[in-house]
Amino acid sequence: MSTPRRLLLVNGPNLNLLGVREPAVYGHETLADVECIAAQAAAARGVEVRAVQSNHEGVLIDAIHAAREDCAGIVINPGGLTHTSVVLRDALSGVALPVAEVHISNVYEREEFRHFSYVRDVAVVHVIGEGVAGYATAVTRLLDTIAGVADG
Ligand code: CA2
């Protein structure tokens, strides 16, 4: 079967507040802007993006499971679940799709509890602290990885 020309973009809890609160940390762009940035980076490579944001862990898990059917990879900013969720990590490793982990802020320059990520070692691409532009970087690097796997 050929590789689907679609990525799943997952944004975790509270990322719906982007552009509305804490602009000093997360910038002025909104979640809609982020989804557009990712979609444009993917479209440049002939790939579409299915975007999901939820404040409910189970909704994110269901979207990750569904990606197994029709997506080539997953770009995810798990929000605070990064630092707490074995469940999210298990979903990502369970679907066995290539994963790019994105954080808008530089988590390593923030509180110590943000330094640990349950997702880190199930992701093949990590983009940390590039602001919302990091979503484009993550899409491009993930598609490069997928192309390398497909070619190899
Ligand atoms: O830097 C990132 O992208 C984070 O994943 C964002 C999470 C935070 O818990 C991680 O440590 C790092 C927080 C997402 C909440 O986003 C907000 C956006 C605007 C206003 C309030 C929260």
Side-chain angles (χ1 to χ4, degrees):
M1 204 179 72
S2 64
T3 308
R5 301 207 62 79
R6 185 180 302 106
L7 296 178
L8 177 68
L9 171 65
V10 179
N11 278 294
N14 299 311
L15 285 158
N16 55 310
L17 297 177
L18 278 176
V20 179
R21 301 283 308 276
E22 298 191 45
V25 181
Y26 299 114
H28 291 279
E29 290 91 349
T30 64
L31 177 64
D33 294 330
V34 161
E35 292 178 351
C36 196
I37 286 165
Q40 283 177 350
R45 305 278 288 266
V47 171
E48 70 175 59
V49 168
R50 180 161 69 230
V52 59
Q53 185 279 329
S54 180
N55 298 322
H56 304 278
E57 200 170 23
V59 172
L60 302 176
I61 307 290
D62 287 346
I64 289 166
H65 289 180
R68 209 158 58 95
E69 305 298 323
D70 61 359
C71 293
I74 299 173
V75 175
I76 184 166
N77 182 345
L81 293 174
T82 308
H83 320 298
T84 63
S85 184
V86 174
V87 175
L88 187 69
R89 175 210 169 87
D90 286 347
L92 291 168
S93 69
V95 295
L97 290 170
V99 173
E101 177 184 8
V102 190
H103 297 288
I104 297 167
S105 64
N106 186 343
V107 286
Y108 299 112
E109 291 180 350
R110 300 183 65 192
E111 303 95 324
E112 182 125 19
F113 66 83
R114 297 187 200 276
H115 297 186
F116 177 79
S117 167
Y118 278 101
V119 172
R120 183 183 304 138
D121 64 355
V122 297
V124 290
V125 169
H126 306 88
V127 182
I128 315 279
E130 289 191 12
V132 296
Y135 284 85
T137 309
V139 164
T140 302
R141 287 180 47 202
L142 186 62
L143 290 175
D144 285 346
T145 302
I146 291 165
V149 169
D151 292 345

